[in-house]
Amino acid sequence: MTTVTPYAPAALRDFLIGQPEFTNQVPVESVSTSDIPDKITGPFVTLAAVSNFGQDPMLRKPLVQLDVWVPKWEILGGDIAPDELAWNIADLSGRLVHKARIQRFRDTQSSWRATWDEGPITDVDTERGPDLPLFRAICRFEMKFTVR
């Protein structure tokens, strides 16, 4: 029997970085379950559990939020506006995760499946100052984690 509920954001991270369609847009090293770095020069993705519910310790339903962060056009370059690129990556993530069949979590007896619950939702983060906006798109996934 598994002694802890697996870390749901890591399960989604492991799944997404294994999808070439996703890593063509976001490098593997730019997908994290922790904070965003001080300097972002391209798309960056964070994953966090924003809720975790369920009445049974063997069947948990974490709600995982995926945030896509994209710097302003002058840093990013390219032909796609940063807000549109953030949207596209969030939307792609939603489609990939939603279509995935039941996934086993690493080498444990735990498995998961997720549904695309919300998003993309867009935002512009100006906490770093008005000259360094980060364009953001958010998706949320309701996961069903079976823990054995």
Side-chain angles (χ1 to χ4, degrees):
M1 182 170 142
T2 303
T3 58
V4 298
T5 301
Y7 186 46
L12 282 184
R13 179 194 60 215
D14 293 353
F15 172 77
L16 286 170
I17 64 175
Q19 306 302 310
E21 199 174 354
F22 178 81
T23 56
N24 285 340
Q25 299 291 317
V26 182
V28 170
E29 61 275 4
S30 294
V31 182
S32 176
T33 56
S34 58
D35 293 331
I36 57 176
D38 290 335
K39 186 175 182 182
I40 295 179
T41 58
F44 195 89
V45 171
T46 56
L47 294 143
V50 295
S51 176
N52 191 359
F53 56 96
Q55 297 174 348
D56 183 339
M58 305 295 274
L59 180 61
R60 302 304 300 165
K61 294 182 180 180
L63 184 64
V64 175
Q65 180 169 308
L66 174 140
D67 292 84
V68 179
W69 307 88
V70 178
K72 64 182 182 177
W73 213 330
E74 293 82 0
I75 295 172
L76 179 66
D79 298 331
I80 300 175
D83 53 340
E84 184 177 351
L85 180 59
W87 172 281
N88 291 349
I89 293 168
D91 186 77
L92 172 64
S93 301
R95 292 171 191 281
L96 291 171
V97 170
H98 191 81
K99 290 190 304 184
R101 297 196 166 153
I102 294 174
Q103 301 288 310
R104 191 167 182 186
F105 184 68
R106 297 181 181 158
D107 60 352
T108 69
Q109 294 297 316
S110 300
S111 59
W112 65 269
R113 177 144 170 60
T115 55
W116 185 5
D117 193 46
E118 189 176 12
I121 300 165
T122 58
D123 184 32
V124 179
D125 183 329
T126 56
E127 283 187 28
R128 297 171 183 228
D131 294 336
L132 288 173
L134 289 175
F135 296 87
R136 179 179 177 201
I138 302 160
C139 278
R140 288 187 173 177
F141 304 98
E142 182 179 310
M143 298 180 74
K144 290 183 182 169
F145 240 111
T146 303
V147 181
R148 296 187 179 94

